[in-house]
Amino acid sequence: MSGLETHSLYALPIPQCRMEEILEQRAHELGVDIRRGHEMVALRQDADAVIVDVASPAGSYQLTSRFLVGADGGSSAVRKLSGIGFPGITDDSFVGRTGQVAIPPPVSDPETGELDVPGLGRLRPASFTRTENGLFAYGMFQPGVYRVAVFEWDQPKLDDSDSITIDELREAVRRVLGSDIPIAELPAGIPVVMSRSTSSNSRQADRYRAGRVFLVGDAAHVHSGVGGPGLNLGMQDVMNLAWKLAAELAGHAPEGLLDTYEIERRPVGERVIMHTRAQTALLSPGAYITALRQLLGELLHEKNNVQHLSDLLSGADVHYDMRTEGEAHPLTGRWMPDLALESEGGPTRIAELMRSARPLLLDLANRADLRKVVADWTDRVDVVAADSVEQLADVVLIRPDGYVAWAAGPETSDATDGLRHALTTWFGPPV
Ligand SMILES: Cc1cc2nc3c(=O)[nH]c(=O)nc-3n(C[C@H](O)[C@H](O)[C@H](O)COP(=O)(O)OP(=O)(O)OC[C@H]3O[C@@H](n4cnc5c(N)ncnc54)[C@H](O)[C@@H]3O)c2cc1C
């Protein structure tokens, strides 16, 4: 990807506990009531409401709400209790072993995390090494602490386990790399993580909605972790659904708005399942796969192909149908780039303006004619006039999830009608 002028694929190495802290803090700021240790055990719905039974340390109780969002992970009880199927595949052709270990110098370089493996040369953290006997991957999450993962195919059947020995891990690494690595236990105080897994699921809910119940995140899709797309995919589901539910509860959602959640997000989940399966195939053993890797390697000398993969893996190729009236501007349906802006209030960015989670009309060309149209929607839609060095459009209407509902350039004809249509389609009728 480094050969591309721009690409939006990069990793943010944030430990999960930190990620949860940040999300929890934001939820508290917004007044969300988080109840830990409370389990939803049953649900039913009628035309007006969803009723759930909750088991808690202090006893059982019921909750009634207009909608229920199942964000309860791959084994989702919400999905099962709503009768939503979860078709796909379970791959049990491999045995994977993972451990959090020390690898002392000189095999490891404590500065860079690189490993010098006899017979294989220097390996980089966060890379995959595919050999004739399997797959080796590792990362260094803090100096001297390595997370090693090793996968083998055509192995005798074994059970999953959360407590394998360090010798079992060491032996598997030796079989796959054909060389010994001095894998050692970590000092006391660093959690011991040693596990064996023998299957991987790749499945998608056959519906994302059943009446008043919605699924988001792993409840709606699970797939191989290769490339780490899971968290982003789930967060984007939530971003897509949340503002639509809010509009429904506030009473100004246009007809059918809630249905666009599944229409927009299911194909995105399908594509992540597709590319994680493709990557899993490319990491598996055998002469046919080696040939396929060689062919793909040749195709990746073409910049366009690299760009295609970068866009696929980062989700930059997501494009929603915004049901535009007339000719659609190229930005329409796409993720709004995070432009640097100069506004009346000083320098800002798109990401800052979106913090309010309200629709935004961004005027980059002093189009008073179009700002006037929004006057009938200002209870729901913010209007900001600003300058930007990158003049991607005159005016952009951005949904709270960061996607462009409508845009116009200097050439756009019937812009007032187009904007009125987009405002009504996505944010409801005028006041
Ligand atoms: C080892 C591992 C490494 C990963 N690494 C990455 C990575 O590097 N990058 C990445 O993007 N993704 C990664 N993933 C995937 C990522 O963790 C998931 O995609 C993400 O956590 C899904 O979030 P979620 O909120 O949908 O579900 P979950 O994180 O599974 O959360 C579901 C929550 O619902 C709760 N719950 C379940 N049932 C009930 C019930 N009946 N009542 C009440 N609460 C309930 C659970 O306790 C849990 O808190 C990894 C996953 C694993 C297992």
Side-chain angles (χ1 to χ4, degrees):
M1 309 295 175
S2 54
L4 300 174
E5 279 96 49
T6 57
H7 74 86
S8 39
L9 193 65
Y10 52 89
L12 284 174
I14 305 170
Q16 179 163 343
C17 53
R18 179 69 190 126
M19 185 79 198
E20 288 183 13
E21 266 171 25
I22 294 166
L23 292 175
E24 183 167 349
Q25 191 187 339
R26 179 69 176 147
H28 280 312
E29 279 167 24
L30 295 170
V32 176
D33 172 12
I34 298 174
R35 300 182 191 178
R36 298 200 182 268
H38 294 228
E39 184 185 3
M40 194 234 35
V41 289
L43 79 87
R44 62 202 164 279
Q45 61 172 306
D46 57 30
D48 304 312
V50 189
I51 300 148
V52 296
D53 294 341
V54 182
S56 83
S60 302
Y61 61 95
Q62 268 189 355
L63 286 173
T64 303
S65 63
R66 282 182 60 196
F67 296 98
L68 175 72
V69 180
D72 51 347
S75 307
S76 172
V78 171
R79 186 185 66 233
K80 290 172 190 162
L81 291 167
S82 303
I84 298 177
F86 204 39
I89 51 176
T90 299
D91 176 8
D92 58 0
S93 63
F94 67 90
V95 176
R97 293 177 175 89
T98 307
Q100 186 156 281
V101 294
I103 306 177
V107 167
S108 72
D109 178 335
E111 299 261 303
T112 62
E114 289 181 355
L115 298 183
D116 195 2
V117 181
L120 282 173
R122 275 188 109 67
L123 307 185
R124 277 180 298 119
S127 65
F128 291 95
T129 303
R130 178 177 171 268
T131 72
E132 278 181 14
N133 298 321
L135 186 70
F136 173 81
Y138 81 101
M140 183 174 77
F141 293 100
Q142 59 190 80
V145 178
Y146 292 86
R147 179 68 76 94
V148 167
V150 63
F151 296 85
E152 295 170 278
W153 282 260
D154 300 324
Q155 292 289 301
K157 285 277 160 246
L158 287 168
D159 292 330
D160 287 4
S161 166
D162 282 336
S163 57
I164 61 168
T165 64
I166 198 159
D167 282 340
E168 180 177 334
L169 182 71
R170 221 181 263 135
E171 284 297 305
V173 171
R174 191 177 50 74
R175 284 194 298 274
V176 168
L177 293 183
S179 170
D180 269 323
I181 291 192
I183 289 177
E185 310 234 357
L186 286 164
I190 302 182
V192 177
V193 181
M194 288 278 174
S195 66
R196 189 201 299 134
S197 62
T198 57
S199 65
S200 157
N201 280 305
S202 167
R203 296 176 178 276
Q204 189 173 27
D206 59 19
R207 288 173 290 157
Y208 278 23
R209 177 181 189 179
R212 298 187 158 272
V213 174
F214 294 86
L215 298 178
V216 296
D218 278 19
H221 37 68
V222 293
H223 47 77
S224 146
V226 59
L231 181 71
N232 271 339
L233 184 62
M235 297 273 273
Q236 292 273 330
D237 289 345
V238 174
M239 292 288 284
N240 188 291
L241 177 60
W243 70 271
K244 296 173 184 174
L245 272 178
E248 181 72 26
L249 296 177
H252 52 64
E255 182 81 24
L257 183 68
L258 285 178
D259 289 329
T260 65
Y261 167 62
E262 169 159 353
I263 293 169
E264 293 179 345
R265 293 306 298 168
R266 213 168 170 283
V268 180
E270 271 169 24
R271 284 191 60 80
V272 171
I273 288 175
M274 179 275 283
H275 74 65
T276 50
R277 281 183 186 170
Q279 292 183 82
T280 305
L282 287 166
L283 291 170
S284 57
Y288 291 117
I289 303 296
T290 304
L292 188 60
R293 288 172 67 96
Q294 188 180 336
L295 178 62
L296 191 74
E298 288 174 15
L299 293 175
L300 289 180
H301 289 295
E302 278 292 326
K303 219 172 179 179
N304 283 349
N305 294 338
V306 182
Q307 185 73 56
H308 183 95
L309 280 189
S310 167
D311 291 349
L312 171 70
L313 299 180
S314 63
D317 61 354
V318 172
H319 181 218
Y320 300 140
D321 175 7
M322 292 296 173
R323 295 181 273 156
T324 311
E325 199 164 70
E327 199 188 332
H329 185 279
L331 271 182
T332 309
R334 305 228 167 248
W335 175 257
M336 181 64 193
D338 188 20
L339 301 182
L341 303 168
E342 198 57 55
S343 71
E344 215 174 58
T348 184
R349 308 193 67 86
I350 298 288
E352 292 299 326
L353 297 177
M354 299 311 297
R355 276 182 194 278
S356 64
R358 281 163 59 85
L360 172 72
L361 186 92
L362 182 66
D363 180 1
L364 297 169
N366 202 9
R367 291 286 299 262
D369 56 328
L370 297 178
R371 288 213 303 274
K372 215 168 112 195
V373 174
V374 191
D376 291 340
W377 278 271
T378 40
D379 60 325
R380 276 155 274 168
V381 179
D382 290 342
V383 179
V384 171
D387 292 321
S388 165
V389 177
E390 288 176 79
Q391 193 67 28
L392 299 178
D394 275 7
V395 171
V396 191
L397 180 63
I398 311 170
R399 304 192 319 190
D401 59 354
Y403 281 82
V404 175
W406 179 87
E411 314 295 326
T412 306
S413 56
D414 300 331
T416 14
D417 287 349
L419 177 56
R420 191 171 288 281
H421 178 262
L423 286 162
T424 313
T425 302
W426 292 105
F427 311 122
V431 176

Short mmCIF file of all heavy atoms in Angstrom, two decimals, residues 16 20 35-36 38-41 70-78 147 216-221 223 225 227-234, ligand 1:
data_model
loop_
_atom_site.label_atom_id
_atom_site.label_comp_id
_atom_site.label_asym_id
_atom_site.label_seq_id
_atom_site.Cartn_x
_atom_site.Cartn_y
_atom_site.Cartn_z
N GLN A 16 -7.80 -3.50 23.86
CA GLN A 16 -9.26 -3.57 23.97
C GLN A 16 -9.78 -2.90 25.25
O GLN A 16 -10.81 -2.21 25.23
CB GLN A 16 -9.73 -5.03 23.93
CG GLN A 16 -11.25 -5.12 24.06
CD GLN A 16 -11.81 -6.45 23.64
OE1 GLN A 16 -11.14 -7.21 22.96
NE2 GLN A 16 -13.02 -6.72 24.03
N GLU A 20 -12.59 0.00 25.40
CA GLU A 20 -13.84 -0.09 26.17
C GLU A 20 -14.01 1.10 27.11
O GLU A 20 -15.10 1.63 27.27
CB GLU A 20 -13.89 -1.42 26.94
CG GLU A 20 -14.11 -2.58 25.99
CD GLU A 20 -14.24 -3.93 26.69
OE1 GLU A 20 -14.40 -3.95 27.93
OE2 GLU A 20 -14.17 -4.95 25.99
N ARG A 35 -25.70 -1.53 32.52
CA ARG A 35 -25.91 -2.46 33.65
C ARG A 35 -25.06 -3.69 33.44
O ARG A 35 -25.39 -4.53 32.62
CB ARG A 35 -27.38 -2.84 33.75
CG ARG A 35 -28.26 -1.64 33.99
CD ARG A 35 -29.71 -2.01 34.15
NE ARG A 35 -30.52 -0.79 34.12
CZ ARG A 35 -31.83 -0.77 34.19
NH1 ARG A 35 -32.51 -1.91 34.31
NH2 ARG A 35 -32.48 0.37 34.15
N ARG A 36 -23.99 -3.81 34.17
CA ARG A 36 -23.11 -4.98 34.01
C ARG A 36 -23.65 -6.14 34.83
O ARG A 36 -24.22 -5.96 35.90
CB ARG A 36 -21.70 -4.63 34.46
CG ARG A 36 -21.10 -3.53 33.60
CD ARG A 36 -19.58 -3.50 33.69
NE ARG A 36 -19.06 -2.41 32.89
CZ ARG A 36 -18.68 -2.52 31.62
NH1 ARG A 36 -18.79 -3.69 31.00
NH2 ARG A 36 -18.22 -1.48 30.97
N HIS A 38 -26.07 -8.04 34.01
CA HIS A 38 -27.49 -8.27 33.75
C HIS A 38 -27.61 -8.99 32.41
O HIS A 38 -27.05 -8.54 31.41
CB HIS A 38 -28.26 -6.94 33.67
CG HIS A 38 -28.30 -6.20 34.98
ND1 HIS A 38 -29.45 -5.68 35.50
CD2 HIS A 38 -27.31 -5.92 35.87
CE1 HIS A 38 -29.18 -5.09 36.66
NE2 HIS A 38 -27.87 -5.22 36.90
N GLU A 39 -28.36 -10.09 32.39
CA GLU A 39 -28.43 -10.90 31.18
C GLU A 39 -29.85 -10.95 30.63
O GLU A 39 -30.80 -11.25 31.37
CB GLU A 39 -27.96 -12.33 31.50
CG GLU A 39 -27.92 -13.20 30.25
CD GLU A 39 -27.57 -14.65 30.56
OE1 GLU A 39 -27.41 -14.99 31.77
OE2 GLU A 39 -27.49 -15.44 29.61
N MET A 40 -29.97 -10.65 29.34
CA MET A 40 -31.28 -10.79 28.70
C MET A 40 -31.52 -12.28 28.47
O MET A 40 -30.71 -12.94 27.83
CB MET A 40 -31.27 -10.03 27.37
CG MET A 40 -32.64 -9.85 26.83
SD MET A 40 -32.91 -10.41 25.13
CE MET A 40 -31.93 -11.80 24.91
N VAL A 41 -32.62 -12.81 29.01
CA VAL A 41 -32.85 -14.26 28.91
C VAL A 41 -34.05 -14.62 28.04
O VAL A 41 -34.18 -15.76 27.62
CB VAL A 41 -32.99 -14.91 30.30
CG1 VAL A 41 -31.65 -14.93 31.02
CG2 VAL A 41 -34.05 -14.20 31.14
N GLY A 70 -29.79 -5.85 19.25
CA GLY A 70 -28.94 -6.95 19.71
C GLY A 70 -27.50 -6.67 19.34
O GLY A 70 -27.12 -6.82 18.19
N ALA A 71 -26.71 -6.22 20.33
CA ALA A 71 -25.27 -5.99 20.12
C ALA A 71 -24.56 -7.00 21.01
O ALA A 71 -23.61 -6.67 21.70
CB ALA A 71 -24.91 -4.56 20.51
N ASP A 72 -25.09 -8.24 21.00
CA ASP A 72 -24.65 -9.22 22.00
C ASP A 72 -23.74 -10.31 21.42
O ASP A 72 -23.72 -11.44 21.90
CB ASP A 72 -25.86 -9.82 22.74
CG ASP A 72 -26.95 -10.34 21.81
OD1 ASP A 72 -26.89 -10.04 20.60
OD2 ASP A 72 -27.84 -11.07 22.29
N GLY A 73 -22.96 -9.95 20.41
CA GLY A 73 -21.86 -10.81 19.99
C GLY A 73 -22.26 -12.01 19.14
O GLY A 73 -23.43 -12.24 18.84
N GLY A 74 -21.23 -12.79 18.75
CA GLY A 74 -21.42 -13.89 17.79
C GLY A 74 -22.43 -14.94 18.22
O GLY A 74 -23.09 -15.55 17.38
N SER A 75 -22.58 -15.17 19.53
CA SER A 75 -23.55 -16.19 19.98
C SER A 75 -24.91 -15.55 20.30
O SER A 75 -25.73 -16.15 21.01
CB SER A 75 -23.04 -16.88 21.24
OG SER A 75 -21.75 -17.36 21.01
N SER A 76 -25.13 -14.36 19.80
CA SER A 76 -26.30 -13.53 20.11
C SER A 76 -27.59 -14.26 20.49
O SER A 76 -28.19 -14.98 19.69
CB SER A 76 -26.59 -12.65 18.88
OG SER A 76 -27.80 -11.96 19.04
N ALA A 77 -28.00 -14.03 21.74
CA ALA A 77 -29.29 -14.56 22.19
C ALA A 77 -30.43 -13.81 21.50
O ALA A 77 -31.46 -14.38 21.19
CB ALA A 77 -29.40 -14.42 23.70
N VAL A 78 -30.22 -12.53 21.26
CA VAL A 78 -31.26 -11.73 20.58
C VAL A 78 -31.55 -12.33 19.20
O VAL A 78 -32.71 -12.49 18.80
CB VAL A 78 -30.82 -10.25 20.46
CG1 VAL A 78 -31.79 -9.46 19.58
CG2 VAL A 78 -30.71 -9.61 21.83
N ARG A 147 2.96 -11.88 21.20
CA ARG A 147 1.78 -12.76 21.03
C ARG A 147 2.07 -13.58 19.78
O ARG A 147 2.18 -13.05 18.68
CB ARG A 147 0.52 -11.90 20.87
CG ARG A 147 -0.77 -12.68 20.67
CD ARG A 147 -1.18 -13.44 21.90
NE ARG A 147 -1.76 -12.63 22.95
CZ ARG A 147 -3.08 -12.44 23.10
NH1 ARG A 147 -3.95 -13.00 22.30
NH2 ARG A 147 -3.52 -11.69 24.08
N VAL A 216 -26.64 -5.77 15.33
CA VAL A 216 -25.44 -5.02 14.91
C VAL A 216 -24.19 -5.79 15.34
O VAL A 216 -24.24 -6.62 16.25
CB VAL A 216 -25.38 -3.61 15.54
CG1 VAL A 216 -26.53 -2.73 15.08
CG2 VAL A 216 -25.34 -3.70 17.06
N GLY A 217 -23.08 -5.50 14.71
CA GLY A 217 -21.79 -6.06 15.12
C GLY A 217 -21.74 -7.57 14.93
O GLY A 217 -22.34 -8.14 14.02
N ASP A 218 -20.98 -8.24 15.83
CA ASP A 218 -20.79 -9.68 15.70
C ASP A 218 -22.11 -10.46 15.78
O ASP A 218 -22.17 -11.60 15.30
CB ASP A 218 -19.83 -10.20 16.78
CG ASP A 218 -18.36 -9.98 16.41
OD1 ASP A 218 -18.09 -9.14 15.52
OD2 ASP A 218 -17.49 -10.66 17.00
N ALA A 219 -23.12 -9.89 16.37
CA ALA A 219 -24.43 -10.57 16.39
C ALA A 219 -24.94 -10.75 14.96
O ALA A 219 -25.67 -11.70 14.66
CB ALA A 219 -25.44 -9.75 17.20
N ALA A 220 -24.53 -9.85 14.05
CA ALA A 220 -25.01 -9.90 12.66
C ALA A 220 -24.02 -10.60 11.74
O ALA A 220 -24.40 -11.06 10.66
CB ALA A 220 -25.25 -8.47 12.16
N HIS A 221 -22.74 -10.67 12.14
CA HIS A 221 -21.74 -11.27 11.25
C HIS A 221 -20.52 -11.69 12.04
O HIS A 221 -20.06 -10.96 12.93
CB HIS A 221 -21.31 -10.28 10.16
CG HIS A 221 -21.22 -8.86 10.64
ND1 HIS A 221 -20.27 -8.45 11.54
CD2 HIS A 221 -22.00 -7.78 10.41
CE1 HIS A 221 -20.44 -7.17 11.81
NE2 HIS A 221 -21.50 -6.74 11.15
N HIS A 223 -16.54 -13.60 11.24
CA HIS A 223 -15.64 -13.96 10.14
C HIS A 223 -14.25 -14.11 10.72
O HIS A 223 -13.99 -13.74 11.87
CB HIS A 223 -15.66 -12.85 9.08
CG HIS A 223 -15.53 -11.49 9.67
ND1 HIS A 223 -14.33 -11.01 10.10
CD2 HIS A 223 -16.47 -10.57 10.01
CE1 HIS A 223 -14.52 -9.82 10.65
NE2 HIS A 223 -15.82 -9.53 10.62
N GLY A 225 -10.49 -13.32 11.68
CA GLY A 225 -9.96 -12.03 12.15
C GLY A 225 -8.85 -11.48 11.28
O GLY A 225 -8.29 -10.45 11.61
N GLY A 227 -6.64 -9.42 9.20
CA GLY A 227 -6.74 -7.99 8.85
C GLY A 227 -7.47 -7.18 9.89
O GLY A 227 -7.45 -5.96 9.85
N GLY A 228 -8.14 -7.83 10.85
CA GLY A 228 -8.80 -7.11 11.95
C GLY A 228 -9.91 -6.15 11.53
O GLY A 228 -9.95 -5.02 12.00
N PRO A 229 -10.84 -6.55 10.66
CA PRO A 229 -11.89 -5.61 10.25
C PRO A 229 -13.13 -5.61 11.16
O PRO A 229 -14.02 -4.79 10.99
CB PRO A 229 -12.28 -6.10 8.85
CG PRO A 229 -12.06 -7.58 8.90
CD PRO A 229 -10.93 -7.80 9.88
N GLY A 230 -13.20 -6.55 12.13
CA GLY A 230 -14.46 -6.80 12.86
C GLY A 230 -14.99 -5.60 13.61
O GLY A 230 -16.17 -5.27 13.55
N LEU A 231 -14.10 -4.93 14.36
CA LEU A 231 -14.56 -3.84 15.20
C LEU A 231 -15.12 -2.69 14.36
O LEU A 231 -16.20 -2.15 14.63
CB LEU A 231 -13.39 -3.35 16.07
CG LEU A 231 -13.73 -2.23 17.03
CD1 LEU A 231 -14.59 -2.74 18.16
CD2 LEU A 231 -12.46 -1.61 17.58
N ASN A 232 -14.37 -2.31 13.31
CA ASN A 232 -14.85 -1.23 12.44
C ASN A 232 -16.20 -1.56 11.82
O ASN A 232 -17.09 -0.69 11.73
CB ASN A 232 -13.87 -1.01 11.28
CG ASN A 232 -12.80 0.00 11.65
OD1 ASN A 232 -13.00 0.79 12.55
ND2 ASN A 232 -11.70 -0.05 10.96
N LEU A 233 -16.33 -2.80 11.37
CA LEU A 233 -17.57 -3.21 10.72
C LEU A 233 -18.76 -3.04 11.68
O LEU A 233 -19.80 -2.48 11.31
CB LEU A 233 -17.44 -4.67 10.27
CG LEU A 233 -18.59 -5.27 9.49
CD1 LEU A 233 -18.81 -4.53 8.18
CD2 LEU A 233 -18.33 -6.76 9.20
N GLY A 234 -18.57 -3.48 12.92
CA GLY A 234 -19.64 -3.38 13.92
C GLY A 234 -19.93 -1.93 14.28
O GLY A 234 -21.09 -1.52 14.41
C1 LIG B 1 -8.90 -12.89 19.95
C2 LIG B 1 -9.64 -11.85 19.14
C3 LIG B 1 -8.90 -10.82 18.56
C4 LIG B 1 -9.57 -9.84 17.81
N1 LIG B 1 -8.83 -8.82 17.27
C5 LIG B 1 -9.46 -7.84 16.59
C6 LIG B 1 -8.72 -6.73 16.06
O1 LIG B 1 -7.50 -6.65 16.19
N2 LIG B 1 -9.39 -5.79 15.36
C7 LIG B 1 -10.75 -5.86 15.18
O2 LIG B 1 -11.32 -4.98 14.55
N3 LIG B 1 -11.47 -6.88 15.67
C8 LIG B 1 -10.86 -7.87 16.38
N4 LIG B 1 -11.58 -8.90 16.89
C9 LIG B 1 -13.03 -8.92 16.66
C10 LIG B 1 -13.75 -7.95 17.61
O3 LIG B 1 -13.36 -8.23 18.93
C11 LIG B 1 -15.26 -8.13 17.45
O4 LIG B 1 -15.62 -7.94 16.10
C12 LIG B 1 -16.02 -7.11 18.33
O5 LIG B 1 -15.67 -7.27 19.69
C13 LIG B 1 -17.52 -7.31 18.19
O6 LIG B 1 -18.16 -6.38 19.02
P1 LIG B 1 -19.67 -6.60 19.46
O7 LIG B 1 -19.95 -5.48 20.41
O8 LIG B 1 -20.51 -6.79 18.27
O9 LIG B 1 -19.70 -7.99 20.23
P2 LIG B 1 -18.91 -8.43 21.56
O10 LIG B 1 -17.61 -7.69 21.69
O11 LIG B 1 -18.89 -9.92 21.53
O12 LIG B 1 -19.82 -7.92 22.74
C14 LIG B 1 -21.07 -8.53 23.04
C15 LIG B 1 -21.46 -8.16 24.45
O13 LIG B 1 -22.79 -8.61 24.70
C16 LIG B 1 -22.84 -9.22 25.98
N5 LIG B 1 -23.94 -10.21 25.96
C17 LIG B 1 -24.00 -11.39 25.29
N6 LIG B 1 -25.17 -12.02 25.52
C18 LIG B 1 -25.88 -11.20 26.33
C19 LIG B 1 -27.18 -11.30 26.92
N7 LIG B 1 -27.99 -12.34 26.70
N8 LIG B 1 -27.58 -10.29 27.74
C20 LIG B 1 -26.78 -9.21 27.97
N9 LIG B 1 -25.54 -9.07 27.43
C21 LIG B 1 -25.10 -10.05 26.63
C22 LIG B 1 -21.47 -9.85 26.14
O14 LIG B 1 -21.20 -10.06 27.53
C23 LIG B 1 -20.57 -8.81 25.51
O15 LIG B 1 -20.19 -7.82 26.43
C24 LIG B 1 -10.96 -9.91 17.64
C25 LIG B 1 -11.70 -10.95 18.23
C26 LIG B 1 -11.04 -11.90 18.98
C27 LIG B 1 -11.86 -13.00 19.61
#
